[in-house]
Amino acid sequence: MVARVDRALRENYGIPDGLADPRVVVLDPCCGTGAYLVETLRIIYAHWKDTYGEAQAQLQTKAAAQTRLFGFELLPAPYVIAHLQIDLLLARFGAPLIP
């Protein structure tokens, strides 16, 4: 689903960077354990890494996670898992939320 949104942004809306474009804001109103947000961050990281290199990918992915990806969850357990997954993913990319 995330890849389809990325492709639709590129092909149908003329946004060449897709989900990686800084104008694109992602809202997951029922994020659960964060699978959609994590996959979005993976696509953003891969795009920036392929296009501009790893250092730029780290900066842009962290910026996207902090400013334009939003997920809402009412239950505390899935929320904690989502936060943990995002934090672990960013740390794996070399861009932890808290250094």
Side-chain angles (χ1 to χ4, degrees):
M1 181 185 288
V2 178
R4 286 183 182 172
V5 170
D6 187 55
R7 188 171 55 247
L9 287 169
R10 294 171 195 273
E11 296 174 1
N12 300 341
Y13 295 100
I15 300 174
D17 291 332
L19 288 168
D21 190 292
R23 298 173 293 170
V24 175
V25 175
V26 177
L27 171 63
D28 188 350
C30 188
C31 76
T33 58
Y36 191 90
L37 297 176
V38 166
E39 187 60 28
T40 300
L41 288 171
R42 283 189 181 130
I43 286 178
I44 291 170
Y45 181 81
H47 171 77
W48 284 103
K49 185 176 179 185
D50 291 345
T51 308
Y52 300 105
E54 190 168 344
Q56 196 60 231
Q58 292 169 343
L59 292 172
Q60 295 297 329
T61 305
K62 183 176 180 176
Q66 291 175 321
T67 61
R68 55 189 191 88
L69 263 65
F70 302 95
F72 294 98
E73 178 56 51
L74 296 176
L75 299 173
Y79 168 80
V80 169
I81 293 170
H83 197 282
L84 177 65
Q85 284 199 87
I86 290 169
D87 192 41
L88 290 173
L89 181 72
L90 291 173
R92 197 170 330 134
F93 290 160
L97 287 175
I98 300 172

